[in-house]
Amino acid sequence: DADVTQTPRNRITKTGKRIMLECSQTKGHDRMYWYRQDPGLGLQLIYYSFDVKDINKGEISDGYSVSRQAQAKFSLSLESAIPNQTALYFCATSDSGQVKWQPQHFGDGTRLSIL
Amino acid sequence: AQTVTQSQPEMSVQEAETVTLSCTYDTSESDYYLFWYKQPPSRQMILVIRQEAYKQQNATENRFSVNFQKAAKSFSLKISDSQLGDAAMYFCAYRSGETSGSRLTFGEGTQLTVNP
């Protein structure tokens, strides 16, 4: 089983709809992240959370919200989806207790298309 | 704020040959970490190699090695004996060792094609 699981894997929806992308992890990590990948732009940080009560905005948080329901779960919501939010979304985790050079661990991504 | 730049949107290499992917970054910090991630068509993000800024020795992982030039703020990836399975998007990423958190700043990516 994957350590970082994202659902759904693919989603097509319409402009104006509310969408939730979910991420769960079994790695026991305390830090979780949401990134967005667009062609030619790499991955950009949307939100990150150091623990259940600590949530922070990233570079491109406008139009998004998050919820850290438990240490293992971190969901991303688009309250009213718009076409330019069409992208590949990644969830990632890391452990604050590990040495600094430990990498983040990524889920397999959710491809979101907004028509 | 830190920035990471990959100036080669696309690269190609013949199977069994060597290719070098470029990455430059901008930071005022002295403590940081650099990573190369590989993203195959399956879209997984796979760690290829990492480098601690305080280490002068270049990191090596089998056929993958880096040329880390701290003064020039350059972190290139060399792939030796290229294989068809190396075809992927490659991302360079920066992580601060000083500021809070462990967020990554990514470059734009380089799409590598391996020709048989």
Side-chain angles (χ1 to χ4, degrees), chain A:
Chain A
D1 289 339
D3 295 323
V4 184
T5 302
Q6 290 186 235
T7 56
R9 181 166 173 80
N10 300 287
R11 176 80 183 271
I12 301 173
T13 191
K14 295 182 178 179
T15 298
K17 293 290 188 180
R18 183 178 187 275
I19 301 161
M20 180 180 287
L21 308 184
E22 299 187 349
C23 177
S24 63
Q25 52 114 347
T26 58
K27 299 191 72 67
H29 290 171
D30 52 344
R31 297 180 173 182
M32 298 185 74
Y33 311 81
W34 276 104
Y35 293 91
R36 167 179 169 160
Q37 182 181 352
D38 295 281
L41 294 179
L43 279 74
Q44 297 173 281
L45 184 64
I46 306 173
Y47 271 94
Y48 60 106
S49 171
F50 290 164
D51 64 38
V52 174
K53 296 182 179 180
D54 185 356
I55 294 177
N56 306 277
K57 292 182 178 180
E59 304 160 329
I60 55 165
S61 59
D62 288 348
Y64 301 95
S65 62
V66 291
S67 174
R68 186 85 183 263
Q69 301 95 324
Q71 187 183 43
K73 295 181 182 288
F74 192 38
S75 59
L76 176 72
S77 294
L78 289 68
E79 296 301 325
S80 180
I82 56 177
N84 74 2
Q85 292 177 312
T86 293
L88 182 57
Y89 290 84
F90 283 99
C91 175
T93 72
S94 68
D95 186 347
S96 62
Q98 291 182 327
V99 294
K100 290 181 180 179
W101 49 259
Q102 284 294 332
Q104 292 184 5
H105 299 263
F106 287 82
D108 288 345
T110 293
R111 186 168 297 284
L112 179 62
S113 298
I114 301 166
L115 306 178

Side-chain angles (χ1 to χ4, degrees), chain B residues 8-46:
Chain B
Q8 306 154 317
E10 299 177 344
M11 291 284 285
S12 63
V13 63
Q14 291 296 126
E15 195 174 4
E17 298 291 307
T18 295
V19 65
T20 298
L21 308 184
S22 300
C23 173
T24 58
Y25 58 94
D26 187 25
T27 184
S28 59
E29 298 176 334
S30 59
D31 181 18
Y32 54 87
Y33 304 82
L34 298 165
F35 304 87
W36 278 99
Y37 280 88
K38 169 185 177 181
Q39 186 182 46
S42 65
R43 79 192 194 203
Q44 292 175 298
M45 292 290 287
I46 302 167

